[in-house]
């Protein structure tokens, strides 16, 4: 049931405020403390996290790496499951292996989990389908509470995966003595603000549609982001490829001059995801290098970012202000809406893109 929407994907994008609220209610108590299901995780007993997943879920892991490392001082390795499982990586003691999967049935992710389990590792999973193999074979399965996701392109599962990983990173920081009570309350209040902000940014849908009608003409599109926005650039490019079939690539914006800038000319739209955060100026200087070569920049930012750097860009999409740490959860929305509207403009099958399956149970 598409609940009045044209596609499941549109419905699932629109559901995000309520799905994020469900996840927040599940993991946060009324008095603002974090509640993990038993047996929980003792982060004081952990020296390293290994995060493993495929596709969009692996981008959620990449964002989480920034969070765990910056907030909790906990080193994180991220790997795609198909590489991890065959590399036979050594697993140091005091490592937690964490698997992220919407379906909980992805063959490579499950095989990677079993590899770690055979090494007597402690296994945590972040899953949408609670009855899945990955959930069942974990010591601790953390549900994302996104509800059934039908559209092949993952949307609400991504934002809910990010939210659960954010809660986990805050909890790790708390246990490891990296957050005092005030800082903890601030982080949690900022998480609580997300459903409202996501709801607000859904209001950019019409404007995104207008921009997407022009993106639909492009043959190649570049996405750029820095720091915790780099994985969002990857997600934006993946989403666009999947449903609009336009070739899109993402780079950490600092990598631009190490190669990809050779691609830039006026036929290549460049989408820059950059809230006005501590790395904004660096990203803007990369953006200016693109503009100096005729690149058509779509800047996705906040009001301050648009004020400081909006002149001369092709288009600007302005999102509400958000705590910089949690910006990836908010910026997932324009990444999804751009792909959705570009696919609509091209007339492709949004919910059932060619060659793709919702759950990849063969390797
Ligand atoms: C992208 C997408 C895929 C999945 C990937 C992992 O929109 O849906 O990249 O994220 O196949 O699937 P799960 O999360 O079910 O393990």
């Amino acid at each position: 049931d598409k609940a009045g929407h044209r596609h499941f994907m549109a419905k699932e994008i629109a559901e995000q405020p309520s799905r994020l609220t469900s996840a927040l209610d599940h993991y946060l108590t009324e008095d603002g403390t974090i509640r993990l299901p038993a047996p929980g995780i003792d982060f004081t007993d952990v020296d390293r996290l290994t995060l493993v997943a495929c596709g969009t879920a692996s981008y959620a892991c990449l964002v989480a790496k920034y969070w765990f490392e910056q907030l909790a001082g906990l080193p994180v390795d991220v790997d795609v499951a198909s590489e991890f499982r065959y590399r036979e990586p050594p697993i140091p003691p005091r490592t937690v292996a964490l698997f992220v999967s919407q379906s909980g049935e992805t063959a490579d992710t499950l095989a990677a989990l079993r590899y770690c389990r055979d090494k007597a590792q402690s296994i945590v999973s972040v899953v949408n389908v609670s009855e899945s193999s990955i959930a069942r074979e974990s010591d601790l399965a953390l549900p994302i509470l996104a509800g059934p996701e039908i559209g092949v392109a993952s949307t609400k599962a991504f934002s809910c995966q990010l939210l659960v990983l954010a809660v986990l990173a805050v909890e790790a920081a708390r246990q490891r003595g990296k957050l005092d009570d005030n800082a903890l309350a601030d982080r949690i209040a900022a998480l609580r603000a997300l459903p409202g902000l996501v709801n607000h940014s859904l209001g950019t849908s019409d404007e995104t549609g207008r921009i997407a009608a022009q993106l639909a003409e492009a043959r190649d599109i570049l996405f750029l982001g820095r720091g915790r926005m780099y994985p969002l650039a990857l997600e934006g490019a993946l989403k666009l490829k999947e449903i609009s079939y336009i070739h899109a690539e993402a780079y950490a914006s600092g990598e631009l001059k190490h190669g990809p800038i050779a691609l830039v000319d006026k036929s290549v739209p460049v989408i820059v995801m950059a809230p006005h955060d501590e790395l904004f100026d660096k990203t803007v200087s990369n953006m200016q290098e693109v503009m100096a070569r005729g690149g058509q920049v779509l800047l996705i930012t906040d009001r301050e970012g648009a004020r400081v750097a909006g002149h001369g860009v092709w288009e600007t999409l302005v999102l509400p202000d958000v705590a910089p740490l949690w910006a990836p959860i908010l910026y997932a929305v324009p990444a999804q809406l751009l792909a959705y509207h570009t696919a609509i403009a091209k007339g492709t099958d949004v919910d059932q893109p060619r060659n793709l399956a919702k759950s990849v149970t063969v390797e």
Side-chain angles (χ1 to χ4, degrees):
D1 174 19
K2 296 178 193 152
H5 292 274
R6 225 169 120 190
H7 299 97
F8 283 109
M9 185 178 178
K11 169 179 177 255
E12 290 160 3
I13 290 172
E15 275 175 351
Q16 289 177 108
S18 70
R19 298 291 102 208
L20 290 168
T21 301
S22 308
L24 286 165
D25 289 345
H26 189 81
Y27 289 101
L28 303 178
T29 63
E30 290 282 304
D31 58 7
T33 56
I34 292 170
R35 170 174 57 197
L36 295 183
I41 305 174
D42 180 358
F43 282 105
T44 62
D45 206 27
V46 177
D47 289 339
R48 176 166 284 277
L49 290 178
T50 298
L51 307 188
V52 181
C54 299
T56 285
S58 77
Y59 298 148
C61 294
L62 266 186
V63 175
K65 176 181 171 78
Y66 290 84
W67 288 336
F68 281 109
E69 293 190 345
Q70 284 176 352
L71 270 175
L74 196 54
V76 173
D77 294 317
V78 179
D79 217 335
V80 291
S82 55
E83 286 301 312
F84 179 87
R85 61 180 290 201
Y86 294 114
R87 202 172 63 244
E88 303 190 4
I91 314 268
R94 295 165 58 87
T95 303
V96 166
L98 193 149
F99 301 87
V100 180
S101 176
Q102 187 284 128
S103 63
E105 301 295 347
T106 300
D108 281 322
T109 310
L110 182 58
L113 180 155
R114 289 178 177 157
Y115 171 84
C116 291
R117 205 189 46 197
D118 289 347
K119 300 246 176 300
Q121 278 247 267
S122 151
I123 312 284
V124 179
S125 60
V126 171
V127 287
N128 196 31
V129 181
S130 299
E131 314 76 46
S132 60
S133 307
I134 289 175
R136 272 186 281 112
E137 297 187 26
S138 303
D139 300 306
L140 176 65
L142 301 171
I144 62 169
L145 301 138
E149 193 179 64
I150 311 293
V152 164
S154 186
T155 53
K156 62 178 179 169
F158 179 64
S159 52
C160 289
Q161 284 162 354
L162 286 175
L163 184 74
V164 173
L165 291 165
V167 168
L168 217 52
V170 172
E171 175 61 7
R174 186 194 66 79
Q175 287 186 22
R176 293 162 66 84
K178 305 276 185 193
L179 286 178
D180 63 27
D181 288 352
N182 284 335
L184 177 66
D186 281 354
R187 302 290 185 226
I188 289 184
L191 283 175
R192 277 276 180 207
L194 282 167
L197 298 176
V198 167
N199 193 37
H200 192 280
S201 59
L202 291 171
T204 61
S205 190
D206 288 350
E207 202 187 345
T208 311
R210 182 180 58 73
I211 295 170
Q214 303 178 65
L215 289 179
E217 308 292 318
R219 210 182 59 162
D220 308 286
I221 298 181
L222 278 177
F223 282 78
L224 299 178
R226 208 178 251 271
R228 49 183 105 80
M229 299 310 292
Y230 165 49
L232 263 288
L234 290 165
E235 171 63 359
L238 178 65
K239 217 91 302 175
L240 193 74
K241 277 187 274 229
E242 281 186 294
I243 61 169
S244 77
Y245 314 144
I246 294 175
H247 169 240
E249 270 194 89
Y251 282 93
S253 45
E255 277 291 293
L256 193 67
K257 56 167 83 59
H258 300 287
I261 197 159
L263 296 173
V264 172
D265 64 22
K266 60 181 182 341
S267 72
V268 182
V270 180
I271 301 179
V272 179
M273 308 190 88
H276 191 265
D277 62 12
E278 71 283 7
L279 297 173
F280 184 74
D281 294 347
K282 305 252 176 230
T283 309
V284 166
S285 75
N286 302 131
M287 186 179 97
Q288 281 157 351
E289 290 156 9
V290 166
M291 285 156 63
R293 284 155 188 87
Q296 302 292 303
V297 170
L298 164 59
L299 174 62
I300 307 180
T301 186
D302 45 33
R303 244 179 326 157
E304 183 59 11
R307 189 184 70 75
V308 180
H311 354 268
V313 302
W314 167 55
E315 289 280 0
T316 316
L317 258 181
V318 179
L319 296 193
D321 292 343
V322 58
L325 206 53
W326 309 139
I329 301 180
L330 185 65
Y331 283 64
V333 176
Q336 298 161 354
L337 288 175
L338 275 174
Y340 178 73
H341 288 295
T342 306
I344 298 288
K346 292 200 67 176
T348 52
D349 186 341
V350 170
D351 283 334
Q352 288 288 336
R354 67 186 184 200
N355 308 342
L356 296 176
K358 182 64 184 162
S359 177
V360 185
T361 53
V362 291
E363 61 169 291

